Amino acid sequence: MTKSTVAAIITKVENGVKHVLLARRNTEPYKGYWSIPGGHVEQNETSFEAVIREIKEEIGLDFKPSYLWNFDEIIPNKKIHADVSIFHGKVSGITKLSKAEIIEIKWVPLAEAASENLAFLHNFVLEKYIRTIKKDQKTEMIAEYSSLRDEILKRMEFRNHILTFTLIVAGSVLSFGSTTGASVMVLLVYPILALFLAIAWMHSDVRAGEIGNYIKNHIESELAGIGWENFISNYKLQTKKNLLTKSTEISASGIFLVTGIVSLIIAIPKISLTYNNLLNSIQIILLLLIDVVAIIFTYFLLRRRRRKI
């Protein structure tokens, strides 16, 4: 007659390594063998109730089970035929062993536990559990890759938008500033604006590079065939077909520096410092100093080697 039994894969993580709880049996069959804890389902009891009760009775811990699967456990030489429900989860509380059933317990790295000579078909159970974990991890990694890839695409688009915006603003400022009677303040403010645009562009560029390196070093090595390099190469090829993108990529970071310098060069001949308008003269001098600092800062900021995606 087939009996209903339960078994619990109880885990915890130590130093980044998943460990599983093994119990050394004090009853037949398999007395003296290590196994994952569990027991029989009693009459009018669900498998969930049974696994919680068994862990409490045998080990004294409170178990929060999550159902994994059922399988037929058939061991002819032990006259065992059982319908086994496998659960996994974590425990809490203070250990209190039932010496009549359990001699001792130990925490073992999951991979090592699966290679031990365990009671019943618990080696099979742990091996299947490991495969399940790897499958789940792969699914999570694919989802993470998709999310990170989308973030990189957004950052690359944002970077291009910043370059486009900079060209438009620079063209407008320099055109207006070159006209007779135009306020010199407009030209003097632009290098400061260019610095902030350069910072935003650089931050997006570096962050995209960091994500790209993470994908190549941590995800691509685990997910064979995702083709990250081909994907990013095709993306760059497509974006370069756009004339504006192609022209801005040529000068890229130099746009911020060059337009800032040109703005300052156009502004200097227009500056008129007079004692009669002392406040305005002081403002202009301060802006000139700030512009010089902004241009120098922009130069050293963009001189840093950009991370490649």
Side-chain angles (χ1 to χ4, degrees):
M1 180 179 177
T2 303
K3 296 181 179 180
S4 295
T5 63
V6 292
I9 301 175
I10 301 170
T11 60
K12 69 175 181 179
V13 177
E14 289 184 358
N15 300 321
V17 178
K18 180 166 283 192
H19 287 61
V20 64
L21 180 69
L22 296 182
R24 192 177 178 196
R25 295 174 56 81
N26 198 25
T27 58
E28 294 292 353
Y30 294 104
K31 184 176 181 179
Y33 278 72
W34 290 96
S35 69
I36 57 176
H40 292 89
V41 179
E42 296 181 352
Q43 190 173 1
N44 299 323
E45 184 180 45
T46 66
S47 57
F48 276 89
E49 293 169 340
V51 75
I52 293 172
R53 174 184 54 76
E54 286 288 349
I55 301 306
K56 188 68 174 179
E57 288 178 355
E58 294 182 359
I59 307 176
L61 298 174
D62 297 315
F63 180 52
K64 294 183 178 180
S66 294
Y67 174 76
L68 287 175
W69 66 79
N70 271 65
F71 78 101
D72 280 325
E73 185 175 53
I74 302 174
I75 309 174
N77 63 328
K78 296 287 185 179
K79 297 181 180 180
I80 294 174
H81 185 184
D83 176 26
V84 186
S85 298
I86 304 297
F87 297 85
H88 76 126
K90 300 184 184 302
V91 289
S92 60
I94 300 174
T95 302
K96 186 178 180 181
L97 301 183
S98 171
K99 292 296 184 178
E101 298 181 84
I102 302 296
I103 300 172
E104 58 180 321
I105 61 172
K106 65 178 179 178
W107 290 96
V108 183
L110 183 56
E112 293 180 17
S115 63
E116 289 195 19
N117 184 24
L118 302 178
F120 303 102
L121 298 182
H122 289 179
N123 288 90
F124 159 77
V125 171
L126 291 183
E127 288 167 0
K128 183 175 180 179
Y129 179 65
I130 291 172
R131 291 195 300 271
T132 301
I133 290 176
K134 289 182 177 179
K135 184 178 179 180
D136 292 342
Q137 288 175 338
K138 184 175 181 180
T139 301
E140 292 175 0
M141 201 168 285
I142 290 173
E144 182 185 21
Y145 165 71
S146 179
S147 175
L148 291 175
R149 186 187 67 181
D150 290 343
E151 183 178 349
I152 280 188
L153 292 178
K154 289 177 182 178
R155 288 185 176 276
M156 292 174 73
E157 289 295 331
F158 178 67
R159 185 182 63 180
N160 290 336
H161 290 328
I162 291 176
L163 289 172
T164 303
F165 177 75
T166 302
L167 285 174
I168 294 172
V169 173
S172 301
V173 169
L174 297 179
S175 297
F176 174 76
S178 300
T179 60
T180 304
S183 173
V184 72
M185 289 297 188
V186 175
L187 292 167
L188 292 178
V189 167
Y190 177 76
I192 302 171
L193 174 61
L195 170 60
F196 283 104
L197 290 171
I199 291 173
W201 182 85
M202 192 70 175
H203 173 74
S204 184
D205 194 56
V206 170
R207 179 57 182 155
E210 290 173 345
I211 297 172
N213 287 334
Y214 175 80
I215 289 175
K216 286 188 288 185
N217 297 331
H218 295 88
I219 296 181
E220 193 170 33
S221 59
E222 298 293 332
L223 296 177
I226 62 171
W228 167 249
E229 291 289 352
N230 290 334
F231 168 78
I232 206 65
S233 296
N234 290 335
Y235 173 81
K236 289 180 177 179
L237 183 63
Q238 290 175 358
T239 55
K240 284 185 178 181
K241 291 179 181 179
N242 181 292
L243 181 61
L244 181 59
T245 302
K246 187 174 181 179
S247 64
T248 55
E249 284 290 337
I250 294 174
S251 51
S253 60
I255 291 175
F256 307 103
L257 183 63
V258 172
T259 54
I261 293 174
V262 171
S263 178
L264 191 59
I265 291 173
I266 295 174
I268 289 175
K270 293 177 173 289
I271 294 174
S272 176
L273 301 178
T274 61
Y275 183 77
N276 294 332
N277 197 348
L278 184 60
L279 181 60
N280 184 65
S281 298
I282 292 174
Q283 289 176 341
I284 290 175
I285 292 172
L286 287 175
L287 273 176
L288 276 172
L289 293 174
I290 293 173
D291 283 346
V292 171
V293 172
I295 289 172
I296 293 173
F297 191 85
T298 302
Y299 169 75
F300 284 105
L301 175 70
L302 300 175
R303 191 180 177 186
R304 292 173 53 193
R305 184 179 179 181
R306 294 196 295 121
R307 296 177 182 266
K308 292 184 178 180
I309 299 174

